Amino acid sequence: MITMRLDKFLTEALGITRKQATKLLKDSQITLNDQIIKQGATKLTDSDTVVFDERELSLTGPRYIMLNKPGGFVCSHVDDYNPTVFVLLDEVAPEKLHVAGRLDCDTTGLVLLTDDGQWSHRITSPKHVCEKVYHVELADPVEPVVIEQFAEGVMLKGEKVATRPALLELLSPTEAIIKITEGKYHQVKRMFAATGNKVIGLHRAQVGPIELDDDLAPGEYRDLSPEEIAAFQK
Ligand code: URA
């Protein structure tokens, strides 16, 4: 069953702070299925009806979320072997959200989720140039020549066109920051594989101008700010 805390629902449905939501609840101004409810921690399901000021509240409008994805979660709605990122969301109707640019199951870091298809299209469509920044750990030291190879573009196994120029900055012989503007399947892993190396750790730190919030522990998420949302709006 899909659940969400009542106080969080009120903050989103009414555009108020958690403190204001708590006050409305304390002042007996909120009913849940015709019963006055005072506990913000009450869990809502899709079939519940919440009323304030004779008005039935609903979560309308598009949603935009950033998640700090832990390793071991897949970015799809269904998977036979691993939990999906959607189980980490305490949201009403998470099935309506989709991931704007998937990460591999073992990759960690910034995942953007939304129900706004036009917005995510500007992140994922090859027609739009959207830079993604990753922190990479490698099995073997990176040869300095790889910086030039990535800047020029490398041929990946099974592809007909070389990768777009990518920026590689070495932090240590086996650690680097890579900036790519495409989202080919397993792109970063395949780029390093093309140089004879192996990615042993991959973390996405940034998508376009949106940086992963340091305050989010792995598995935590928050709504995007209006400025972050606007970064991918026309
Ligand atoms: N490149 C990869 O190889 N994997 C990811 O998850 C993201 C980029």
Side-chain angles (χ1 to χ4, degrees), residues 102-108 134 180 184-190 199 202 204:
R102 292 179 182 200
L103 292 179
D104 296 337
C105 185
D106 57 351
T107 304
T108 59
Y134 295 87
I180 58 172
K184 289 196 167 90
Y185 183 62
H186 293 330
Q187 175 147 352
V188 175
K189 291 175 186 164
R190 287 163 74 207
V199 171
L202 189 58
R204 184 155 68 192

PDB file of all heavy atoms in Angstrom, residues 102-108 134 180 184-190 199 202 204, ligand 1:
ATOM      1  N   ARG A 102      18.601   7.223 -15.685  1.00  0.00           N
ATOM      2  CA  ARG A 102      18.835   6.113 -14.750  1.00  0.00           C
ATOM      3  C   ARG A 102      20.299   5.963 -14.362  1.00  0.00           C
ATOM      4  O   ARG A 102      21.184   6.327 -15.137  1.00  0.00           O
ATOM      5  CB  ARG A 102      18.419   4.807 -15.404  1.00  0.00           C
ATOM      6  CG  ARG A 102      16.938   4.696 -15.612  1.00  0.00           C
ATOM      7  CD  ARG A 102      16.636   3.396 -16.286  1.00  0.00           C
ATOM      8  NE  ARG A 102      15.216   3.290 -16.536  1.00  0.00           N
ATOM      9  CZ  ARG A 102      14.589   2.146 -16.751  1.00  0.00           C
ATOM     10  NH1 ARG A 102      15.266   1.006 -16.757  1.00  0.00           N
ATOM     11  NH2 ARG A 102      13.314   2.116 -16.964  1.00  0.00           N
ATOM     12  N   LEU A 103      20.500   5.378 -13.195  1.00  0.00           N
ATOM     13  CA  LEU A 103      21.833   4.929 -12.781  1.00  0.00           C
ATOM     14  C   LEU A 103      21.805   3.409 -12.708  1.00  0.00           C
ATOM     15  O   LEU A 103      20.759   2.812 -12.441  1.00  0.00           O
ATOM     16  CB  LEU A 103      22.189   5.489 -11.408  1.00  0.00           C
ATOM     17  CG  LEU A 103      22.420   7.004 -11.299  1.00  0.00           C
ATOM     18  CD1 LEU A 103      22.750   7.382  -9.862  1.00  0.00           C
ATOM     19  CD2 LEU A 103      23.532   7.463 -12.241  1.00  0.00           C
ATOM     20  N   ASP A 104      22.965   2.787 -12.875  1.00  0.00           N
ATOM     21  CA  ASP A 104      23.066   1.332 -12.698  1.00  0.00           C
ATOM     22  C   ASP A 104      22.766   0.988 -11.245  1.00  0.00           C
ATOM     23  O   ASP A 104      22.915   1.836 -10.345  1.00  0.00           O
ATOM     24  CB  ASP A 104      24.486   0.843 -13.027  1.00  0.00           C
ATOM     25  CG  ASP A 104      24.852   1.078 -14.479  1.00  0.00           C
ATOM     26  OD1 ASP A 104      23.931   1.189 -15.306  1.00  0.00           O
ATOM     27  OD2 ASP A 104      26.062   1.150 -14.762  1.00  0.00           O
ATOM     28  N   CYS A 105      22.447  -0.270 -11.021  1.00  0.00           N
ATOM     29  CA  CYS A 105      22.101  -0.729  -9.676  1.00  0.00           C
ATOM     30  C   CYS A 105      23.225  -0.426  -8.666  1.00  0.00           C
ATOM     31  O   CYS A 105      22.974   0.014  -7.545  1.00  0.00           O
ATOM     32  CB  CYS A 105      21.814  -2.225  -9.739  1.00  0.00           C
ATOM     33  SG  CYS A 105      21.247  -2.926  -8.212  1.00  0.00           S
ATOM     34  N   ASP A 106      24.471  -0.617  -9.084  1.00  0.00           N
ATOM     35  CA  ASP A 106      25.584  -0.412  -8.147  1.00  0.00           C
ATOM     36  C   ASP A 106      26.083   1.033  -8.103  1.00  0.00           C
ATOM     37  O   ASP A 106      26.956   1.366  -7.292  1.00  0.00           O
ATOM     38  CB  ASP A 106      26.747  -1.372  -8.466  1.00  0.00           C
ATOM     39  CG  ASP A 106      27.253  -1.232  -9.897  1.00  0.00           C
ATOM     40  OD1 ASP A 106      26.609  -0.523 -10.700  1.00  0.00           O
ATOM     41  OD2 ASP A 106      28.289  -1.827 -10.214  1.00  0.00           O
ATOM     42  N   THR A 107      25.579   1.902  -8.962  1.00  0.00           N
ATOM     43  CA  THR A 107      25.995   3.315  -8.949  1.00  0.00           C
ATOM     44  C   THR A 107      25.217   4.054  -7.863  1.00  0.00           C
ATOM     45  O   THR A 107      24.036   3.780  -7.643  1.00  0.00           O
ATOM     46  CB  THR A 107      25.734   3.968 -10.323  1.00  0.00           C
ATOM     47  OG1 THR A 107      26.405   3.213 -11.326  1.00  0.00           O
ATOM     48  CG2 THR A 107      26.211   5.407 -10.365  1.00  0.00           C
ATOM     49  N   THR A 108      25.900   4.988  -7.196  1.00  0.00           N
ATOM     50  CA  THR A 108      25.261   5.755  -6.126  1.00  0.00           C
ATOM     51  C   THR A 108      25.100   7.222  -6.568  1.00  0.00           C
ATOM     52  O   THR A 108      25.659   7.627  -7.583  1.00  0.00           O
ATOM     53  CB  THR A 108      26.119   5.713  -4.845  1.00  0.00           C
ATOM     54  OG1 THR A 108      27.416   6.252  -5.149  1.00  0.00           O
ATOM     55  CG2 THR A 108      26.285   4.297  -4.319  1.00  0.00           C
ATOM     56  N   TYR A 134      30.398  12.714 -12.578  1.00  0.00           N
ATOM     57  CA  TYR A 134      30.555  11.486 -11.790  1.00  0.00           C
ATOM     58  C   TYR A 134      31.901  11.458 -11.101  1.00  0.00           C
ATOM     59  O   TYR A 134      32.907  11.925 -11.657  1.00  0.00           O
ATOM     60  CB  TYR A 134      30.487  10.249 -12.696  1.00  0.00           C
ATOM     61  CG  TYR A 134      29.155  10.032 -13.354  1.00  0.00           C
ATOM     62  CD1 TYR A 134      28.861  10.640 -14.571  1.00  0.00           C
ATOM     63  CD2 TYR A 134      28.196   9.206 -12.779  1.00  0.00           C
ATOM     64  CE1 TYR A 134      27.635  10.436 -15.192  1.00  0.00           C
ATOM     65  CE2 TYR A 134      26.970   8.989 -13.393  1.00  0.00           C
ATOM     66  CZ  TYR A 134      26.698   9.611 -14.597  1.00  0.00           C
ATOM     67  OH  TYR A 134      25.487   9.404 -15.215  1.00  0.00           O
ATOM     68  N   ILE A 180      30.368  14.052 -18.548  1.00  0.00           N
ATOM     69  CA  ILE A 180      29.902  13.592 -19.866  1.00  0.00           C
ATOM     70  C   ILE A 180      28.578  14.285 -20.198  1.00  0.00           C
ATOM     71  O   ILE A 180      27.852  14.709 -19.291  1.00  0.00           O
ATOM     72  CB  ILE A 180      29.720  12.049 -19.919  1.00  0.00           C
ATOM     73  CG1 ILE A 180      28.720  11.560 -18.852  1.00  0.00           C
ATOM     74  CG2 ILE A 180      31.049  11.342 -19.770  1.00  0.00           C
ATOM     75  CD1 ILE A 180      28.363  10.080 -18.979  1.00  0.00           C
ATOM     76  N   LYS A 184      24.626   7.159 -22.609  1.00  0.00           N
ATOM     77  CA  LYS A 184      24.587   5.814 -23.217  1.00  0.00           C
ATOM     78  C   LYS A 184      24.602   4.765 -22.114  1.00  0.00           C
ATOM     79  O   LYS A 184      25.124   5.012 -21.020  1.00  0.00           O
ATOM     80  CB  LYS A 184      25.816   5.605 -24.110  1.00  0.00           C
ATOM     81  CG  LYS A 184      25.794   6.425 -25.393  1.00  0.00           C
ATOM     82  CD  LYS A 184      26.817   5.861 -26.375  1.00  0.00           C
ATOM     83  CE  LYS A 184      26.630   6.406 -27.762  1.00  0.00           C
ATOM     84  NZ  LYS A 184      27.394   7.628 -28.014  1.00  0.00           N
ATOM     85  N   TYR A 185      24.067   3.594 -22.421  1.00  0.00           N
ATOM     86  CA  TYR A 185      23.991   2.485 -21.474  1.00  0.00           C
ATOM     87  C   TYR A 185      25.380   2.199 -20.884  1.00  0.00           C
ATOM     88  O   TYR A 185      26.341   1.999 -21.651  1.00  0.00           O
ATOM     89  CB  TYR A 185      23.429   1.265 -22.227  1.00  0.00           C
ATOM     90  CG  TYR A 185      23.210   0.052 -21.395  1.00  0.00           C
ATOM     91  CD1 TYR A 185      22.313   0.058 -20.338  1.00  0.00           C
ATOM     92  CD2 TYR A 185      23.902  -1.116 -21.676  1.00  0.00           C
ATOM     93  CE1 TYR A 185      22.107  -1.071 -19.578  1.00  0.00           C
ATOM     94  CE2 TYR A 185      23.704  -2.265 -20.919  1.00  0.00           C
ATOM     95  CZ  TYR A 185      22.806  -2.223 -19.873  1.00  0.00           C
ATOM     96  OH  TYR A 185      22.611  -3.342 -19.115  1.00  0.00           O
ATOM     97  N   HIS A 186      25.511   2.196 -19.561  1.00  0.00           N
ATOM     98  CA  HIS A 186      26.787   1.919 -18.873  1.00  0.00           C
ATOM     99  C   HIS A 186      27.923   2.799 -19.416  1.00  0.00           C
ATOM    100  O   HIS A 186      29.066   2.339 -19.535  1.00  0.00           O
ATOM    101  CB  HIS A 186      27.209   0.462 -19.050  1.00  0.00           C
ATOM    102  CG  HIS A 186      26.316  -0.548 -18.385  1.00  0.00           C
ATOM    103  ND1 HIS A 186      25.601  -0.287 -17.233  1.00  0.00           N
ATOM    104  CD2 HIS A 186      26.048  -1.847 -18.707  1.00  0.00           C
ATOM    105  CE1 HIS A 186      24.925  -1.375 -16.897  1.00  0.00           C
ATOM    106  NE2 HIS A 186      25.160  -2.321 -17.763  1.00  0.00           N
ATOM    107  N   GLN A 187      27.599   4.038 -19.758  1.00  0.00           N
ATOM    108  CA  GLN A 187      28.583   4.823 -20.516  1.00  0.00           C
ATOM    109  C   GLN A 187      29.949   4.953 -19.845  1.00  0.00           C
ATOM    110  O   GLN A 187      30.987   4.724 -20.481  1.00  0.00           O
ATOM    111  CB  GLN A 187      28.027   6.224 -20.814  1.00  0.00           C
ATOM    112  CG  GLN A 187      29.079   7.099 -21.493  1.00  0.00           C
ATOM    113  CD  GLN A 187      28.526   8.077 -22.461  1.00  0.00           C
ATOM    114  OE1 GLN A 187      27.337   8.045 -22.772  1.00  0.00           O
ATOM    115  NE2 GLN A 187      29.369   8.961 -22.955  1.00  0.00           N
ATOM    116  N   VAL A 188      29.957   5.348 -18.579  1.00  0.00           N
ATOM    117  CA  VAL A 188      31.249   5.605 -17.931  1.00  0.00           C
ATOM    118  C   VAL A 188      32.041   4.296 -17.805  1.00  0.00           C
ATOM    119  O   VAL A 188      33.242   4.248 -18.090  1.00  0.00           O
ATOM    120  CB  VAL A 188      31.043   6.287 -16.554  1.00  0.00           C
ATOM    121  CG1 VAL A 188      32.383   6.445 -15.831  1.00  0.00           C
ATOM    122  CG2 VAL A 188      30.355   7.641 -16.721  1.00  0.00           C
ATOM    123  N   LYS A 189      31.345   3.237 -17.426  1.00  0.00           N
ATOM    124  CA  LYS A 189      32.033   1.940 -17.285  1.00  0.00           C
ATOM    125  C   LYS A 189      32.615   1.488 -18.629  1.00  0.00           C
ATOM    126  O   LYS A 189      33.729   0.986 -18.697  1.00  0.00           O
ATOM    127  CB  LYS A 189      31.060   0.882 -16.749  1.00  0.00           C
ATOM    128  CG  LYS A 189      30.657   1.140 -15.302  1.00  0.00           C
ATOM    129  CD  LYS A 189      29.602   0.152 -14.850  1.00  0.00           C
ATOM    130  CE  LYS A 189      29.103   0.512 -13.465  1.00  0.00           C
ATOM    131  NZ  LYS A 189      27.851  -0.140 -13.124  1.00  0.00           N
ATOM    132  N   ARG A 190      31.823   1.697 -19.692  1.00  0.00           N
ATOM    133  CA  ARG A 190      32.293   1.271 -21.016  1.00  0.00           C
ATOM    134  C   ARG A 190      33.432   2.164 -21.519  1.00  0.00           C
ATOM    135  O   ARG A 190      34.331   1.691 -22.219  1.00  0.00           O
ATOM    136  CB  ARG A 190      31.125   1.276 -22.000  1.00  0.00           C
ATOM    137  CG  ARG A 190      30.158   0.108 -21.752  1.00  0.00           C
ATOM    138  CD  ARG A 190      28.842   0.350 -22.433  1.00  0.00           C
ATOM    139  NE  ARG A 190      28.869   0.179 -23.853  1.00  0.00           N
ATOM    140  CZ  ARG A 190      28.036   0.803 -24.698  1.00  0.00           C
ATOM    141  NH1 ARG A 190      27.126   1.631 -24.236  1.00  0.00           N
ATOM    142  NH2 ARG A 190      28.117   0.601 -25.992  1.00  0.00           N
ATOM    143  N   VAL A 199      35.881   0.213 -13.828  1.00  0.00           N
ATOM    144  CA  VAL A 199      35.268   1.073 -12.800  1.00  0.00           C
ATOM    145  C   VAL A 199      34.863   0.194 -11.616  1.00  0.00           C
ATOM    146  O   VAL A 199      34.117  -0.779 -11.788  1.00  0.00           O
ATOM    147  CB  VAL A 199      34.032   1.806 -13.387  1.00  0.00           C
ATOM    148  CG1 VAL A 199      33.261   2.528 -12.281  1.00  0.00           C
ATOM    149  CG2 VAL A 199      34.454   2.780 -14.473  1.00  0.00           C
ATOM    150  N   LEU A 202      31.214   4.136  -8.651  1.00  0.00           N
ATOM    151  CA  LEU A 202      30.701   5.234  -9.482  1.00  0.00           C
ATOM    152  C   LEU A 202      29.613   5.976  -8.712  1.00  0.00           C
ATOM    153  O   LEU A 202      28.680   5.350  -8.194  1.00  0.00           O
ATOM    154  CB  LEU A 202      30.146   4.648 -10.796  1.00  0.00           C
ATOM    155  CG  LEU A 202      29.756   5.634 -11.890  1.00  0.00           C
ATOM    156  CD1 LEU A 202      30.935   6.517 -12.291  1.00  0.00           C
ATOM    157  CD2 LEU A 202      29.258   4.877 -13.121  1.00  0.00           C
ATOM    158  N   ARG A 204      27.206   9.625  -8.904  1.00  0.00           N
ATOM    159  CA  ARG A 204      26.845  10.835  -9.657  1.00  0.00           C
ATOM    160  C   ARG A 204      26.659  12.003  -8.691  1.00  0.00           C
ATOM    161  O   ARG A 204      25.887  11.908  -7.727  1.00  0.00           O
ATOM    162  CB  ARG A 204      25.565  10.609 -10.472  1.00  0.00           C
ATOM    163  CG  ARG A 204      25.234  11.824 -11.340  1.00  0.00           C
ATOM    164  CD  ARG A 204      24.393  11.456 -12.547  1.00  0.00           C
ATOM    165  NE  ARG A 204      23.052  11.042 -12.166  1.00  0.00           N
ATOM    166  CZ  ARG A 204      22.201  10.463 -13.008  1.00  0.00           C
ATOM    167  NH1 ARG A 204      22.539  10.205 -14.252  1.00  0.00           N
ATOM    168  NH2 ARG A 204      20.998  10.106 -12.608  1.00  0.00           N
TER     169      ARG A 204
HETATM  170  N1  URA B   1      27.673   5.371 -16.529  1.00  0.00           N
HETATM  171  C1  URA B   1      27.669   4.089 -16.084  1.00  0.00           C
HETATM  172  O1  URA B   1      28.449   3.266 -16.549  1.00  0.00           O
HETATM  173  N2  URA B   1      26.776   3.742 -15.128  1.00  0.00           N
HETATM  174  C2  URA B   1      25.919   4.631 -14.560  1.00  0.00           C
HETATM  175  O2  URA B   1      25.158   4.263 -13.667  1.00  0.00           O
HETATM  176  C3  URA B   1      25.961   5.952 -15.031  1.00  0.00           C
HETATM  177  C4  URA B   1      26.830   6.303 -16.003  1.00  0.00           C
END
